[in-house]
Short mmCIF file of all heavy atoms in Angstrom, two decimals:
data_model
loop_
_atom_site.label_atom_id
_atom_site.label_comp_id
_atom_site.label_asym_id
_atom_site.label_seq_id
_atom_site.Cartn_x
_atom_site.Cartn_y
_atom_site.Cartn_z
N LEU A 171 0.83 -1.22 0.00
CA LEU A 171 0.00 0.00 0.00
C LEU A 171 0.86 1.26 0.00
O LEU A 171 0.50 2.27 -0.62
CB LEU A 171 -0.93 -0.01 1.22
CG LEU A 171 -2.09 -1.00 1.10
CD1 LEU A 171 -2.58 -1.44 2.46
CD2 LEU A 171 -3.23 -0.39 0.29
N SER A 172 1.99 1.18 0.67
CA SER A 172 2.88 2.34 0.75
C SER A 172 3.49 2.69 -0.61
O SER A 172 3.65 3.87 -0.95
CB SER A 172 3.99 2.05 1.76
OG SER A 172 4.90 3.10 1.84
N HIS A 173 3.82 1.66 -1.41
CA HIS A 173 4.45 1.92 -2.71
C HIS A 173 3.59 2.75 -3.65
O HIS A 173 4.08 3.75 -4.20
CB HIS A 173 4.86 0.59 -3.37
CG HIS A 173 6.10 -0.02 -2.78
ND1 HIS A 173 6.40 -1.35 -2.88
CD2 HIS A 173 7.11 0.54 -2.06
CE1 HIS A 173 7.54 -1.59 -2.26
NE2 HIS A 173 8.00 -0.46 -1.76
N PRO A 174 2.29 2.42 -3.87
CA PRO A 174 1.49 3.28 -4.75
C PRO A 174 1.27 4.69 -4.18
O PRO A 174 1.27 5.66 -4.94
CB PRO A 174 0.16 2.54 -4.89
CG PRO A 174 0.15 1.44 -3.90
CD PRO A 174 1.57 1.17 -3.53
N ILE A 175 1.13 4.81 -2.86
CA ILE A 175 0.98 6.15 -2.27
C ILE A 175 2.24 6.98 -2.53
O ILE A 175 2.18 8.15 -2.92
CB ILE A 175 0.69 6.05 -0.74
CG1 ILE A 175 -0.66 5.39 -0.47
CG2 ILE A 175 0.77 7.43 -0.08
CD1 ILE A 175 -1.88 6.19 -0.86
N GLY A 176 3.40 6.36 -2.34
CA GLY A 176 4.67 7.06 -2.59
C GLY A 176 4.83 7.45 -4.04
O GLY A 176 5.31 8.54 -4.36
N ALA A 177 4.44 6.53 -4.96
CA ALA A 177 4.58 6.80 -6.40
C ALA A 177 3.63 7.91 -6.86
O ALA A 177 3.99 8.74 -7.69
CB ALA A 177 4.32 5.52 -7.19
N LEU A 178 2.42 7.94 -6.29
CA LEU A 178 1.41 8.93 -6.74
C LEU A 178 1.52 10.27 -6.02
O LEU A 178 1.21 11.31 -6.59
CB LEU A 178 0.00 8.36 -6.53
CG LEU A 178 -0.38 7.15 -7.41
CD1 LEU A 178 -1.66 6.50 -6.90
CD2 LEU A 178 -0.53 7.56 -8.87
N TYR A 179 1.97 10.26 -4.75
CA TYR A 179 1.96 11.49 -3.95
C TYR A 179 3.36 11.92 -3.50
O TYR A 179 3.50 12.92 -2.80
CB TYR A 179 1.05 11.33 -2.72
CG TYR A 179 -0.40 11.10 -3.08
CD1 TYR A 179 -0.92 9.81 -3.13
CD2 TYR A 179 -1.24 12.16 -3.40
CE1 TYR A 179 -2.25 9.58 -3.46
CE2 TYR A 179 -2.57 11.95 -3.74
CZ TYR A 179 -3.08 10.65 -3.77
OH TYR A 179 -4.39 10.44 -4.10
N ASP A 180 4.40 11.16 -3.89
CA ASP A 180 5.79 11.48 -3.55
C ASP A 180 6.00 11.65 -2.04
O ASP A 180 6.69 12.56 -1.60
CB ASP A 180 6.24 12.74 -4.30
CG ASP A 180 7.68 12.62 -4.79
OD1 ASP A 180 8.20 11.47 -4.84
OD2 ASP A 180 8.31 13.64 -5.10
N THR A 181 5.38 10.79 -1.26
CA THR A 181 5.52 10.84 0.20
C THR A 181 6.82 10.16 0.64
O THR A 181 7.40 9.39 -0.12
CB THR A 181 4.34 10.12 0.88
OG1 THR A 181 4.27 8.78 0.36
CG2 THR A 181 3.04 10.83 0.66
N HIS A 182 7.22 10.43 1.88
CA HIS A 182 8.38 9.73 2.44
C HIS A 182 8.01 8.27 2.67
O HIS A 182 7.02 7.96 3.35
CB HIS A 182 8.82 10.38 3.76
CG HIS A 182 10.09 9.79 4.31
ND1 HIS A 182 10.12 8.63 5.03
CD2 HIS A 182 11.38 10.19 4.20
CE1 HIS A 182 11.37 8.33 5.35
NE2 HIS A 182 12.16 9.28 4.87
N HIS A 183 8.80 7.37 2.10
CA HIS A 183 8.45 5.94 2.11
C HIS A 183 8.29 5.40 3.54
O HIS A 183 7.29 4.74 3.86
CB HIS A 183 9.53 5.15 1.35
CG HIS A 183 9.39 3.67 1.49
ND1 HIS A 183 8.32 2.97 0.96
CD2 HIS A 183 10.18 2.75 2.11
CE1 HIS A 183 8.46 1.68 1.26
NE2 HIS A 183 9.57 1.53 1.94
N GLY A 184 9.26 5.68 4.40
CA GLY A 184 9.22 5.14 5.75
C GLY A 184 8.05 5.68 6.55
O GLY A 184 7.40 4.95 7.32
N MET A 185 7.77 6.97 6.38
CA MET A 185 6.65 7.58 7.11
C MET A 185 5.32 7.02 6.61
O MET A 185 4.38 6.84 7.39
CB MET A 185 6.72 9.11 6.95
CG MET A 185 5.95 9.88 7.99
SD MET A 185 6.34 9.49 9.71
CE MET A 185 7.58 10.68 10.11
N THR A 186 5.24 6.73 5.31
CA THR A 186 4.02 6.13 4.75
C THR A 186 3.83 4.72 5.33
O THR A 186 2.72 4.33 5.70
CB THR A 186 4.09 6.07 3.21
OG1 THR A 186 4.60 7.31 2.72
CG2 THR A 186 2.73 5.82 2.60
N ASN A 187 4.92 3.96 5.41
CA ASN A 187 4.87 2.65 6.07
C ASN A 187 4.36 2.78 7.50
O ASN A 187 3.55 1.96 7.96
CB ASN A 187 6.26 2.01 6.11
CG ASN A 187 6.67 1.37 4.80
OD1 ASN A 187 5.85 1.10 3.94
ND2 ASN A 187 7.96 1.12 4.65
N ALA A 188 4.84 3.80 8.20
CA ALA A 188 4.47 3.99 9.60
C ALA A 188 2.97 4.24 9.75
O ALA A 188 2.33 3.78 10.70
CB ALA A 188 5.26 5.16 10.19
N VAL A 189 2.39 5.00 8.80
CA VAL A 189 0.95 5.27 8.85
C VAL A 189 0.16 3.97 8.66
O VAL A 189 -0.78 3.68 9.40
CB VAL A 189 0.55 6.32 7.79
CG1 VAL A 189 -0.98 6.46 7.72
CG2 VAL A 189 1.18 7.68 8.11
N PHE A 190 0.55 3.16 7.69
CA PHE A 190 -0.20 1.94 7.38
C PHE A 190 -0.01 0.81 8.41
O PHE A 190 -0.84 -0.09 8.51
CB PHE A 190 0.20 1.40 5.99
CG PHE A 190 -0.53 2.06 4.85
CD1 PHE A 190 0.16 2.85 3.93
CD2 PHE A 190 -1.89 1.89 4.68
CE1 PHE A 190 -0.51 3.46 2.87
CE2 PHE A 190 -2.57 2.48 3.63
CZ PHE A 190 -1.89 3.27 2.72
N MET A 191 1.07 0.87 9.18
CA MET A 191 1.47 -0.28 10.00
C MET A 191 0.38 -0.85 10.91
O MET A 191 0.10 -2.06 10.86
CB MET A 191 2.72 0.09 10.82
CG MET A 191 3.38 -1.09 11.50
SD MET A 191 4.92 -0.61 12.32
CE MET A 191 5.98 -0.25 10.93
N PRO A 192 -0.29 -0.05 11.75
CA PRO A 192 -1.27 -0.66 12.67
C PRO A 192 -2.49 -1.24 11.96
O PRO A 192 -3.06 -2.23 12.43
CB PRO A 192 -1.66 0.49 13.59
CG PRO A 192 -1.32 1.73 12.86
CD PRO A 192 -0.15 1.39 11.97
N TYR A 193 -2.87 -0.64 10.83
CA TYR A 193 -4.04 -1.13 10.09
C TYR A 193 -3.75 -2.51 9.49
O TYR A 193 -4.59 -3.41 9.52
CB TYR A 193 -4.44 -0.13 9.00
CG TYR A 193 -4.64 1.27 9.54
CD1 TYR A 193 -3.67 2.26 9.35
CD2 TYR A 193 -5.77 1.60 10.27
CE1 TYR A 193 -3.82 3.53 9.87
CE2 TYR A 193 -5.95 2.87 10.80
CZ TYR A 193 -4.97 3.83 10.59
OH TYR A 193 -5.13 5.09 11.13
N VAL A 194 -2.54 -2.66 8.95
CA VAL A 194 -2.15 -3.94 8.34
C VAL A 194 -1.95 -5.00 9.43
O VAL A 194 -2.34 -6.16 9.27
CB VAL A 194 -0.89 -3.78 7.47
CG1 VAL A 194 -0.39 -5.14 6.98
CG2 VAL A 194 -1.18 -2.86 6.28
N LEU A 195 -1.36 -4.60 10.56
CA LEU A 195 -1.16 -5.54 11.66
C LEU A 195 -2.51 -6.11 12.12
O LEU A 195 -2.66 -7.32 12.32
CB LEU A 195 -0.44 -4.85 12.82
CG LEU A 195 -0.10 -5.73 14.03
CD1 LEU A 195 0.88 -6.84 13.66
CD2 LEU A 195 0.48 -4.88 15.16
N ALA A 196 -3.51 -5.24 12.26
CA ALA A 196 -4.85 -5.68 12.67
C ALA A 196 -5.45 -6.62 11.62
O ALA A 196 -6.06 -7.64 11.96
CB ALA A 196 -5.75 -4.46 12.88
N PHE A 197 -5.27 -6.29 10.35
CA PHE A 197 -5.80 -7.10 9.25
C PHE A 197 -5.20 -8.51 9.26
O PHE A 197 -5.87 -9.51 8.98
CB PHE A 197 -5.51 -6.40 7.92
CG PHE A 197 -5.81 -7.20 6.69
CD1 PHE A 197 -7.12 -7.47 6.31
CD2 PHE A 197 -4.78 -7.70 5.89
CE1 PHE A 197 -7.41 -8.21 5.17
CE2 PHE A 197 -5.05 -8.44 4.75
CZ PHE A 197 -6.37 -8.69 4.39
N ASN A 198 -3.92 -8.59 9.62
CA ASN A 198 -3.19 -9.87 9.58
C ASN A 198 -3.33 -10.68 10.87
O ASN A 198 -2.78 -11.78 10.97
CB ASN A 198 -1.70 -9.63 9.32
CG ASN A 198 -1.42 -9.21 7.89
OD1 ASN A 198 -2.18 -9.52 6.98
ND2 ASN A 198 -0.31 -8.51 7.68
N ARG A 199 -4.05 -10.16 11.85
CA ARG A 199 -4.06 -10.74 13.19
C ARG A 199 -4.25 -12.26 13.21
O ARG A 199 -3.50 -12.99 13.86
CB ARG A 199 -5.14 -10.07 14.05
CG ARG A 199 -5.20 -10.66 15.46
CD ARG A 199 -6.09 -9.88 16.39
NE ARG A 199 -5.91 -10.34 17.77
CZ ARG A 199 -6.14 -9.61 18.84
NH1 ARG A 199 -6.56 -8.36 18.73
NH2 ARG A 199 -5.95 -10.11 20.05
N GLU A 200 -5.26 -12.73 12.52
CA GLU A 200 -5.60 -14.15 12.55
C GLU A 200 -4.41 -15.04 12.17
O GLU A 200 -4.20 -16.10 12.75
CB GLU A 200 -6.76 -14.40 11.58
CG GLU A 200 -7.37 -15.78 11.69
CD GLU A 200 -8.46 -16.01 10.65
OE1 GLU A 200 -9.09 -15.02 10.19
OE2 GLU A 200 -8.68 -17.18 10.29
N ALA A 201 -3.62 -14.58 11.21
CA ALA A 201 -2.51 -15.39 10.70
C ALA A 201 -1.23 -15.26 11.53
O ALA A 201 -0.38 -16.15 11.50
CB ALA A 201 -2.22 -15.02 9.25
N VAL A 202 -1.09 -14.15 12.26
CA VAL A 202 0.22 -13.89 12.91
C VAL A 202 0.15 -13.78 14.43
O VAL A 202 1.18 -13.55 15.07
CB VAL A 202 0.87 -12.60 12.33
CG1 VAL A 202 1.07 -12.72 10.84
CG2 VAL A 202 0.07 -11.34 12.68
N GLU A 203 -1.03 -13.94 15.02
CA GLU A 203 -1.16 -13.67 16.46
C GLU A 203 -0.16 -14.45 17.30
O GLU A 203 0.50 -13.88 18.18
CB GLU A 203 -2.59 -13.97 16.93
CG GLU A 203 -2.79 -13.62 18.40
CD GLU A 203 -4.22 -13.31 18.79
OE1 GLU A 203 -5.14 -13.48 17.95
OE2 GLU A 203 -4.42 -12.90 19.93
N ASP A 204 0.00 -15.74 17.05
CA ASP A 204 0.94 -16.54 17.85
C ASP A 204 2.37 -16.02 17.73
O ASP A 204 3.11 -15.96 18.72
CB ASP A 204 0.90 -18.01 17.42
CG ASP A 204 -0.41 -18.70 17.85
OD1 ASP A 204 -1.15 -18.11 18.65
OD2 ASP A 204 -0.68 -19.82 17.37
N LYS A 205 2.76 -15.66 16.50
CA LYS A 205 4.12 -15.14 16.29
C LYS A 205 4.31 -13.81 17.02
O LYS A 205 5.37 -13.55 17.60
CB LYS A 205 4.39 -14.94 14.78
CG LYS A 205 4.44 -16.21 13.98
CD LYS A 205 4.98 -15.98 12.59
CE LYS A 205 6.49 -15.96 12.60
NZ LYS A 205 7.07 -16.02 11.25
N ILE A 206 3.28 -12.95 16.98
CA ILE A 206 3.39 -11.64 17.62
C ILE A 206 3.43 -11.79 19.15
O ILE A 206 4.12 -11.03 19.84
CB ILE A 206 2.23 -10.71 17.18
CG1 ILE A 206 2.30 -10.44 15.67
CG2 ILE A 206 2.24 -9.40 17.97
CD1 ILE A 206 3.53 -9.67 15.19
N VAL A 207 2.72 -12.78 19.69
CA VAL A 207 2.78 -13.04 21.13
C VAL A 207 4.22 -13.38 21.54
O VAL A 207 4.74 -12.86 22.53
CB VAL A 207 1.80 -14.19 21.52
CG1 VAL A 207 2.07 -14.67 22.95
CG2 VAL A 207 0.35 -13.71 21.39
N ARG A 208 4.89 -14.24 20.75
CA ARG A 208 6.30 -14.58 21.04
C ARG A 208 7.20 -13.35 20.91
O ARG A 208 8.10 -13.13 21.71
CB ARG A 208 6.79 -15.67 20.08
CG ARG A 208 6.18 -17.03 20.31
CD ARG A 208 7.01 -18.15 19.66
NE ARG A 208 7.11 -18.01 18.21
CZ ARG A 208 6.23 -18.50 17.35
NH1 ARG A 208 5.15 -19.13 17.79
NH2 ARG A 208 6.40 -18.36 16.05
N LEU A 209 6.94 -12.56 19.87
CA LEU A 209 7.73 -11.35 19.62
C LEU A 209 7.59 -10.36 20.77
O LEU A 209 8.58 -9.79 21.24
CB LEU A 209 7.27 -10.71 18.29
CG LEU A 209 7.88 -9.37 17.93
CD1 LEU A 209 9.39 -9.47 17.75
CD2 LEU A 209 7.24 -8.83 16.64
N ALA A 210 6.35 -10.15 21.21
CA ALA A 210 6.09 -9.21 22.31
C ALA A 210 6.85 -9.64 23.56
O ALA A 210 7.47 -8.82 24.24
CB ALA A 210 4.58 -9.13 22.58
N ALA A 211 6.82 -10.94 23.85
CA ALA A 211 7.53 -11.46 25.03
C ALA A 211 9.02 -11.17 24.93
O ALA A 211 9.66 -10.73 25.90
CB ALA A 211 7.28 -12.96 25.18
N TYR A 212 9.60 -11.38 23.72
CA TYR A 212 11.03 -11.14 23.54
C TYR A 212 11.37 -9.66 23.74
O TYR A 212 12.42 -9.31 24.29
CB TYR A 212 11.47 -11.59 22.14
CG TYR A 212 12.94 -11.35 21.90
CD1 TYR A 212 13.90 -12.17 22.48
CD2 TYR A 212 13.37 -10.29 21.11
CE1 TYR A 212 15.25 -11.93 22.29
CE2 TYR A 212 14.72 -10.05 20.91
CZ TYR A 212 15.65 -10.87 21.50
OH TYR A 212 16.99 -10.63 21.32
N CYS A 213 10.47 -8.80 23.28
CA CYS A 213 10.71 -7.34 23.37
C CYS A 213 10.36 -6.77 24.74
O CYS A 213 10.50 -5.56 24.95
CB CYS A 213 9.91 -6.61 22.29
SG CYS A 213 10.46 -6.96 20.61
N GLY A 214 9.88 -7.63 25.64
CA GLY A 214 9.50 -7.15 26.97
C GLY A 214 8.21 -6.36 26.97
O GLY A 214 7.99 -5.50 27.84
#
């Protein structure tokens, strides 16, 4: 999603990724929840 926004609006790529991040994380929840639980534990 970030790539077309950057190509059409010349936005900063990393900042565009940052905007989309929580929405995509929520969308992917069903597939990644177990992995994210392990990740959260590692990150404290």
Side-chain angles (χ1 to χ4, degrees):
L171 287 154
S172 177
H173 283 158
I175 294 291
L178 293 167
Y179 297 97
D180 219 18
T181 55
H182 186 278
H183 171 66
M185 199 54 93
T186 316
N187 280 343
V189 172
F190 276 114
M191 191 175 291
Y193 307 103
V194 173
L195 183 63
F197 171 71
N198 287 335
R199 179 170 191 154
E200 190 184 334
V202 302
E203 184 155 6
D204 289 348
K205 293 192 83 168
I206 297 296
V207 168
R208 290 198 299 273
L209 174 62
Y212 179 76
C213 293

